[in-house]
Amino acid sequence: MAKSPDGPRGESPLSPEQRDEYSNLILLCPTDHALIDKAPEDFSVSFLLEMKAQHETWVKSTLGAASDSTDVKWAALVDKLTVRLSLDTWHKDLSALLSGGEASMAVATEQRLRTCLHWIATRPWPEGHNDLQKVIRTIGHFINELLSTFSQHSEEDGGGGRLRFEAFYKIRVWNEELYNSLLTEYKECRKYLADIVLEMTRYVNLFSDLVRAEIDPDFRDEEGYATLIIEGDILRFDTHVPRFTQEEISEINNSVHPFQDFAEQRTTRTPRFSW
């Protein structure tokens, strides 16, 4: 069934929570997603459920009986997390936190990330794939830090569709010392938000690499890595693919708590990020 009642194949007795459960989810590339939604009469609910069942059967037979239990669980977990992170819209959802102008986030994105954070925090992890599990947990830490930092100074706009990061240094009664103090704090908050988004995107792309290496060699081959659109020169916006170097990946593998390492190292990095 559709995620919302007004979507294709939206008529259903399922509750909003049931619509978001794994049994009602199917992961598609953007091209197939658009094709299927444009022709609900050709792609009925029963047809899509059968297609999903056939794919799950193929996964089980391909992975083999010996590894059936844990590997199938991991494959399902990866599919669910990919949907919750919404990797296909990653650059649209988060790039507005990086620009030199007003920082903002869609209310729907904020709600989805909160749901994703809760989902990661409550996972009963299958056995194996310890490095992948560490990366997913670290993504959860970054989501939590992003939402906590952003919510301290955000408010809904007039239309209620977006949350905007308040320019809290703008005071009503002039006080130069207070203004300069708040402006410094504001700039540091904006820099910190950008650092969180950039680093989280690198972990998301490391997640994709690990899935390709350990679970599914074809994972997101068509869609590619998560990207960010960053403001460059005047009237120019560049697309970047934030990724770790091999040396940095080795450090992550040896780290007990990668998020704490980020918090300790971010102010001493020169440059703060490499692409």
Side-chain angles (χ1 to χ4, degrees), residues 223-234:
E223 299 86 353
Y225 289 108
T227 63
L228 292 171
I229 300 174
I230 299 178
E231 187 175 2
D233 298 332
I234 297 176

Side-chain angles (χ1 to χ4, degrees), residues 2 17 30 46 54 64 70 80 84 103 121 146 155 182 187-188 203 220 225 230 255 272:
E17 293 76 15
S46 59
Q54 290 177 1
T70 57
K80 294 175 188 177
R84 283 162 171 75
L146 174 65
E155 55 183 11
L182 291 176
K187 289 180 177 179
E188 176 54 33
Y203 272 98
R220 293 189 64 79
Y225 289 108
I230 299 178
S255 173
R272 292 193 356 256

Side-chain angles (χ1 to χ4, degrees), residues 134-192:
K134 182 194 293 184
V135 166
I136 295 173
R137 287 181 180 274
T138 303
I139 291 172
H141 288 302
F142 276 102
I143 293 175
N144 180 64
E145 190 69 7
L146 174 65
L147 295 177
S148 297
T149 303
F150 185 77
S151 65
Q152 291 177 19
H153 299 286
S154 66
E155 55 183 11
E156 285 193 15
D157 63 6
R162 293 193 71 80
L163 296 166
R164 304 191 180 278
F165 193 74
E166 180 187 4
F168 56 84
Y169 61 91
K170 297 181 178 179
I171 53 180
R172 294 184 177 181
V173 179
W174 178 248
N175 181 314
E176 184 174 1
E177 182 178 356
L178 176 61
Y179 175 85
N180 290 332
S181 174
L182 291 176
L183 180 59
T184 299
E185 181 184 351
Y186 172 81
K187 289 180 177 179
E188 176 54 33
C189 281
R190 289 295 304 272
K191 186 185 295 184
Y192 188 44

